């Protein structure tokens, strides 16, 4: 098995956490985002969306981190805990994955990553507005409010239940983007508790997210002076 991954990409890091948690041996292929390695025609054969991560398992070649997490859970979770089979428990896991993709990570990414500095400026169009705007902040805090409500309402240790599931990974890697810019979670006590609990209880999984966080944090502090329009091959750069 191979995972094409980018060192500071939350979706990639979530897949790496799942692979580690499930004890799966695989080859990690680092895709150099800044060199546009995901923009080549070779990479487009793996993922026409030209996004990272991509999983290759025999003849299965697939992007979209949620689908990767679900596949890994279906195929390799012998405990039945990471991705439960029981319909209701599974539905909650699926719900949290969808919530992360559609609202939580999306709004965090729009606010944090797009703006973290200029090096990430030739990523998805959602990152093209580099300024952290009051509207972006509002959307992000609404997403945090919602996640806090889910955790408070269910009163569970993890995002979908009282055991760690595949839903925790992308929610954790999204939340680490906030830590990377030193955005405090005190206003969302259930999110803060869940996040700190994960770090404490799963240090080896946290370590994977932490590596990405460090890179994002360095970018935040020392923004490289690169402009989107200098990108050699991104099809969405201005004036192309
Ligand atoms: N929905 C995708 C999103 C993956 C994604 O956004 N990857 C970013 C890196 S973190 C990317 O490859 N962006 C490519 C680009 O914008 O040029 C997933 O969950 O796998």
């Amino acid at each position: 098995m191979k995972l094409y991954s980018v060192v500071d990409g939350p979706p990639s890091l979530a897949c790496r956490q799942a692979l580690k948690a499930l004890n799966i041996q695989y080859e990690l292929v680092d895709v150099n985002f800044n060199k546009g390695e995901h923009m080549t025609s070779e990479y487009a054969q793996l993922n026409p969306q030209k996004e990272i991560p991509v999983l290759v398992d025999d003849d299965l070649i697939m992007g979209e981190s949620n689908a990767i997490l679900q596949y890994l859970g279906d195929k390799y979770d012998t405990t039945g805990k990471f991705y439960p089979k029981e319909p209701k428990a599974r539905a909650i896991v699926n719900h949290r994955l969808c919530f992360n993709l559609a609202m939580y990570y999306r709004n965090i990414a729009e606010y944090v990553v797009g703006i973290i500095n200029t090096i990430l400026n030739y990523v998805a169009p959602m990152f093209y507005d580099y300024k952290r705007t009051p509207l972006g902040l509002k959307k992000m805090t609404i997403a945090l409010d919602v996640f806090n409500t889910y955790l408070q309402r269910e009163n569970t240790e993890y995002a979908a239940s009282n055991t760690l599931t595949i839903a925790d990974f992308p929610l954790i890697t999204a939340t680490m983007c906030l830590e990377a810019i030193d955005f405090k979670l005190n206003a969302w006590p259930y999110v803060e508790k869940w996040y700190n609990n994960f770090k404490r209880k799963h240090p080896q999984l946290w370590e994977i997210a932490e590596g990405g966080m460090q890179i994002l944090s360095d970018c935040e502090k020392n923004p490289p002076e690169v402009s989107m329009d200098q990108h050699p091959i991104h099809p969405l750069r201005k004036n192309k």
Side-chain angles (χ1 to χ4, degrees), residues 6 9 11 33 38-39 50-53 64-65 101 122-124 234:
V6 58
F33 188 87
H38 61 303
M39 285 292 148
K50 297 186 177 174
E51 287 179 331
I52 321 157
E64 288 299 342
S65 55
L101 184 72
Y122 35 81
V123 296
H234 200 294

Side-chain angles (χ1 to χ4, degrees), residues 41-54:
S41 49
E42 291 79 19
Y43 193 84
Q45 307 245 317
L46 298 171
N47 185 357
Q49 292 170 230
K50 297 186 177 174
E51 287 179 331
I52 321 157
V54 165

